[in-house]
Amino acid sequence: MIKVITYGTYDLLHYGHLRLLERAKALGDYLIVGVTADDFDKIRGKINVQQSLEERVAAVQATGIADKVIIEEYEGQKIDDIRKYGIDIFTVGSDWVGVFDYLNEYCKVVYLPRTDGVSSSEIRAKNASLRLGMVGYAPFLRKFYYESKFVNAVDVTGICVPEAGVLDYLGTEIFYTTEYEKLLETVDSVYIHAHPLEHYSLCKKALMAGKHVMCESPLAMTIDECNDLLALAQQRRLIIMEATRTAYITAYARMLLLLKGGKIGKVVSVDATCTSLSSSEQIGRSKQWGSLEAWGPTTMLPVFQILGTDYISKNIFSINNGMEHNDAFTKINFTYPSATATIKVGNGVKSEGELIVSGTKGYVYIPAPWWKTEYFEIRFENQANNKRYFYQVDGEGIRYELVALANAVRNNMPDYYISRNVSLAIVSIMQDFRRNQENA
Ligand code: CTP
C-alpha cells in the first residue's frame, strides 16, 4: 500500500484545495492530511485564518478524500509523521517548490501544480474588507497603519488628524480629513487613539453614525459614559472594543489560562509596573498624558482579569509633575478578601517594568516589557520545576487586535478578550482618580 501525506491550512475550503487533495490521493492508496493548528499558523505568521481548527478539519473530512486527518502542531513535525505513519510520498502544491526537498531523505517528495486563480487569502479579502478610519494621535497612527497591512480582513482607508504631514508617510491613496464626521461617512469602523478625555465623544459619534469602534482604553472617563457607550453599541448591534494590545497577545492569554488552571495554586498577589521616561517614544502618546492615563489600563488589565473586579478597597499614592491633571508617578494598592494587587505607573519616572503573580505553589514572572511579551516563566521553590513559555509576537500586538475586531464584526459578537466588567472597573479607577485630582 502506498501511503501519501499532505499538509495545509484549508481555510474556507475551495476548489484549489479539492483538486490538490484528489491528485494527492491519486498518487497512492492511502491519504493522510495534516491540518495546521491555529498556534502553528500564528507562529508561521499566518494570522488571518478565519475558520477554527475544528471547522477546517471538518471541511477536509467532509470531502471524503482523506483517509485520515491529523493536526500539524509544531515545526519539524513532518519528519516525525513520515516516520510514524510509514509514508511513501509527501506532496504539496507548487507554491512550495524546493521548500520541502529536505524530506527526500525520508520519502519521495512531489510538488503538484497549484490551481490558478483561487486562494484562501483572496476569498478572505473579498469576504470581509472592513473599511477602517483612524483618528487621534498621528505618530502612533502611522505605526498602526503599517501593522494593518498584515491583516487582510481590514483595510485602513481614512485618517482624521490635524497634521496633513502624515500623508508623507501614509501615501495619498488614504482619505485625509480634519473633520471626524467626514471620516465616519467613508468607513465601517474607526480606531481611536486620542487623549482619554476625548474617547467618549469620539466613540459616541461613531456609534451614532452606525460604525464599529476600537478605542484605546479606557473607553470613557466616567462609568455613566461608559455604560452609555456599551448600551448604545448593543442597541445598534455594533462592536465596541478596547485596543489594549496586551490582551490579544498569545503569551499573555496563555498565562491567564494557566493561572485559571491552578498552575501556581491560589493567587494571592498581582504586581504590575509600566513606566516610561519619554511617553511619546515608548507608547506613542503625547506628553499631555498623565502616567495613569498612559499606562493605567494596561497595568490594571492583569489585576482585574486575574483577581476579578470585586476588590474591597483601594489606596492611591500619586505624585504630580507640576502640570494640571498630570501625574508623573502613581501607585495603587488593591485589597481583595484574600489577595492583594499593586499597580505602579510612571511617565517621567522609571522602574522595572515587570509583572509578577504570586501564588501558594509558585509564581509567574514576566520581565519587561511584559505588556508586549513573547515569554513568561512559572517559577517554583524547587528551581528544577521552573517552566518557560514562549509564543512569538509579530509586531506589537496591533495586528492581533485588528484580527479580533474583524472577527467580532463578521460574527456580530462582542470580542471576548476583555470582559465588560473589566472595562468598567478600569473606567471606575480613572474616574475616581480624575475626581481626586480635581478636588485636590
Ligand atoms: N493549493 C493549490 N491550489 C490553490 C490553493 C492551494 O493546489 N489554488 C494547495 C497548496 O499548495 C497546499 C494546499 O492546497 O498544498 C493547502 O493550501 P493552503 O495554504 O491551505 O491554501 P491557500 O489557498 O494557498 O491559502 P492562503 O491563501 O492562506 O495561503
Side-chain angles (χ1 to χ4, degrees):
M1 182 165 74
I2 298 176
K3 283 188 166 180
V4 182
I5 197 160
T6 188
Y7 295 85
T9 307
Y10 299 102
D11 189 27
L12 308 168
L13 198 96
H14 55 68
Y15 174 64
H17 293 144
L18 278 179
R19 283 203 61 225
L20 186 285
L21 292 176
E22 277 164 1
R23 286 173 295 152
K25 178 73 182 254
L27 290 173
D29 310 302
Y30 187 84
L31 177 67
I32 302 182
V33 180
V35 179
T36 47
D38 297 334
D39 271 359
F40 186 57
D41 269 329
K42 257 195 209 167
I43 291 167
R44 310 194 292 151
K46 213 168 181 176
I47 58 166
N48 291 301
V49 176
Q50 279 185 7
Q51 290 184 302
S52 67
L53 176 61
E54 289 74 15
E55 288 171 306
R56 292 181 287 115
V57 166
V60 171
Q61 278 166 338
T63 65
I65 304 170
D67 295 289
K68 185 179 179 68
V69 177
I70 59 169
I71 311 299
E72 185 184 20
E73 290 176 289
Y74 59 92
E75 188 116 35
Q77 186 181 324
K78 292 184 178 77
I79 297 176
D80 278 351
D81 290 340
I82 290 168
R83 286 179 175 152
K84 184 156 112 195
Y85 297 109
I87 297 298
D88 302 290
I89 299 175
F90 166 91
T91 186
V92 277
S94 53
D95 40 328
W96 295 100
V97 166
V99 177
F100 296 109
D101 287 356
Y102 69 94
L103 294 175
N104 271 311
E105 200 183 321
Y106 308 92
C107 67
K108 190 172 164 194
V109 175
V110 176
Y111 298 103
L112 291 167
R114 188 179 160 92
T115 307
D116 286 340
V118 58
S119 75
S120 303
S121 311
E122 271 170 42
I123 301 176
R124 285 192 293 261
K126 265 190 222 137
N127 265 0
S129 228
L130 187 69
R131 291 172 307 159
L132 184 95
M134 309 183 291
V135 61
Y137 181 61
F140 189 85
L141 296 181
R142 281 211 303 266
K143 189 155 135 187
F144 187 88
Y145 180 68
Y146 170 74
E147 279 266 327
S148 75
K149 295 288 174 204
F150 294 89
V151 183
N152 61 18
V154 173
D155 201 8
V156 175
T157 53
I159 183 166
C160 172
V161 286
E163 312 88 347
V166 288
L167 293 177
D168 297 345
Y169 301 93
L170 304 184
T172 43
E173 74 269 22
I174 191 162
F175 171 68
Y176 168 74
T177 177
T178 51
E179 289 173 53
Y180 186 47
E181 284 72 13
K182 289 224 167 104
L183 177 77
L184 290 176
E185 280 169 21
T186 66
V187 296
D188 313 305
S189 57
V190 277
Y191 165 64
I192 300 168
H193 190 117
H195 188 277
L197 281 173
E198 296 171 50
H199 285 177
Y200 172 65
S201 122
L202 291 168
C203 288
K204 181 142 189 174
K205 280 183 189 154
L207 293 171
M208 295 297 282
K211 313 298 172 183
H212 304 286
V213 173
M214 186 164 81
C215 178
E216 289 295 327
S217 183
L219 293 176
M221 287 297 271
T222 72
I223 287 284
D224 287 348
E225 287 173 352
C226 189
N227 275 326
D228 183 34
L229 295 176
L230 297 176
L232 191 60
Q234 199 175 7
Q235 260 168 33
R236 304 200 157 206
R237 297 172 67 81
L238 293 166
I239 301 299
I240 182 164
M241 60 182 257
E242 271 158 290
T244 309
R245 285 175 288 291
T246 309
Y248 302 91
I249 287 178
T250 311
Y252 175 81
R254 287 298 144 82
M255 185 267 303
L256 289 185
L257 294 178
L258 289 174
L259 292 179
K260 301 268 178 229
K263 201 85 181 166
I264 61 164
K266 203 175 138 7
V267 174
V268 298
S269 172
V270 178
D271 301 283
T273 304
C274 292
T275 61
S276 44
L277 285 181
S278 158
S279 65
S280 45
E281 259 173 44
Q282 304 233 349
I283 49 171
R285 292 167 189 185
S286 85
K287 287 265 189 286
Q288 293 136 22
W289 264 263
S291 67
L292 198 70
E293 287 160 349
W295 287 116
T298 302
T299 47
M300 283 186 257
L301 187 75
V303 171
F304 294 141
Q305 289 192 315
I306 295 168
L307 294 175
T309 54
D310 293 331
Y311 54 87
I312 303 167
S313 63
K314 65 173 188 297
N315 168 278
I316 304 180
F317 171 86
S318 189
I319 298 171
N320 192 274
N321 70 4
M323 287 194 281
E324 208 186 354
H325 298 312
N326 204 317
D327 56 315
F329 178 82
T330 293
K331 178 174 171 180
I332 306 182
N333 292 316
F334 296 91
T335 303
Y336 287 79
S338 51
T340 177
T342 307
I343 63 159
K344 276 195 285 185
V345 290
N347 196 356
V349 169
K350 198 66 197 152
S351 183
E352 185 64 36
E354 60 194 9
L355 173 65
I356 299 175
V357 185
S358 316
T360 51
K361 291 186 188 158
Y363 69 98
V364 172
Y365 176 70
I366 315 187
W370 66 264
W371 52 94
K372 50 181 177 186
T373 191
E374 302 190 301
Y375 166 79
F376 66 91
E377 256 185 81
I378 299 195
R379 294 179 177 174
F380 298 95
E381 183 111 314
N382 178 354
Q383 289 183 15
N385 295 333
N386 288 2
K387 274 197 107 175
R388 297 183 179 87
Y389 296 81
F390 186 87
Y391 302 91
Q392 191 177 315
V393 179
D394 291 318
E396 288 186 18
I398 294 171
R399 62 189 78 175
Y400 306 114
E401 66 191 8
L402 275 169
V403 170
L405 172 70
N407 286 341
V409 169
R410 198 182 54 251
N411 301 328
N412 195 14
M413 270 189 1
D415 101 278
Y416 59 85
Y417 289 84
I418 303 175
S419 67
R420 293 306 191 210
N421 59 341
V422 168
S423 304
L424 285 163
I426 291 171
V427 171
S428 159
I429 298 293
M430 303 306 289
Q431 171 179 297
D432 287 2
F433 185 73
R434 183 99 192 160
R435 284 195 182 147
N436 286 348
Q437 279 181 324
E438 277 163 4
N439 296 334

